[in-house]
Amino acid sequence: MSTPTELTTAKLQHISFDEMPVEHLNPLIDRQFVAGEKSMLARIILRKGSIVPLHSHENEQITYVLEGALKFVIQEKEIVVRGGEVLVIPSHVPHSAEAMEDTIDLDVFCPPRADWINGTDAYLRK
């Protein structure tokens, strides 16, 4: 439970994705994200054929595909996540993804992705 001090020092944010700048990571992947103290929400736009290379991170990831389809490879298994479906990836589990069609997804990370915030996510910028 939060203490009164934590509640008053936490930063309240009210944001419209329509007004957020779009970060162009490479010719096929764009993203927007907002981070709180303990979690992060990202909107990712992946064009058909885009690849998110194999990687892992300390952050638990919940991916909700709004439209399109992503093919994940996790522990040597292929999992296709389509519009309206959710995938939960535990911390430190290596995974990659390929956009099977133009896709928009929302990713929730806990804790926030420090590499995204400070721009050291080179694996996505190729």
Side-chain angles (χ1 to χ4, degrees), residues 74-99:
I74 301 175
Q75 299 172 335
E76 300 181 20
K77 289 196 296 188
E78 290 185 359
I79 302 168
V80 176
V81 183
R82 300 185 184 285
E85 297 179 345
V86 175
L87 179 67
V88 178
I89 304 171
S91 299
H92 303 291
V93 173
H95 55 284
S96 64
E98 178 182 355

Side-chain angles (χ1 to χ4, degrees), residues 7-17 19-21 32-42 112 117:
L7 291 175
T8 58
T9 59
K11 182 180 174 187
L12 177 66
Q13 300 179 65
H14 179 205
I15 299 165
S16 168
F17 274 119
E19 296 172 5
M20 290 177 75
Q32 300 164 291
F33 65 83
V34 60
E37 289 183 43
K38 298 180 182 175
S39 60
M40 168 187 275
L41 175 67
I117 293 167

Side-chain angles (χ1 to χ4, degrees), residues 104-125:
I104 299 174
D105 83 70
L106 294 177
D107 288 339
V108 176
F109 295 99
C110 185
R113 295 283 306 263
D115 60 334
W116 287 21
I117 293 167
N118 64 29
T120 59
D121 51 350
Y123 75 99
L124 283 173
R125 299 176 184 273

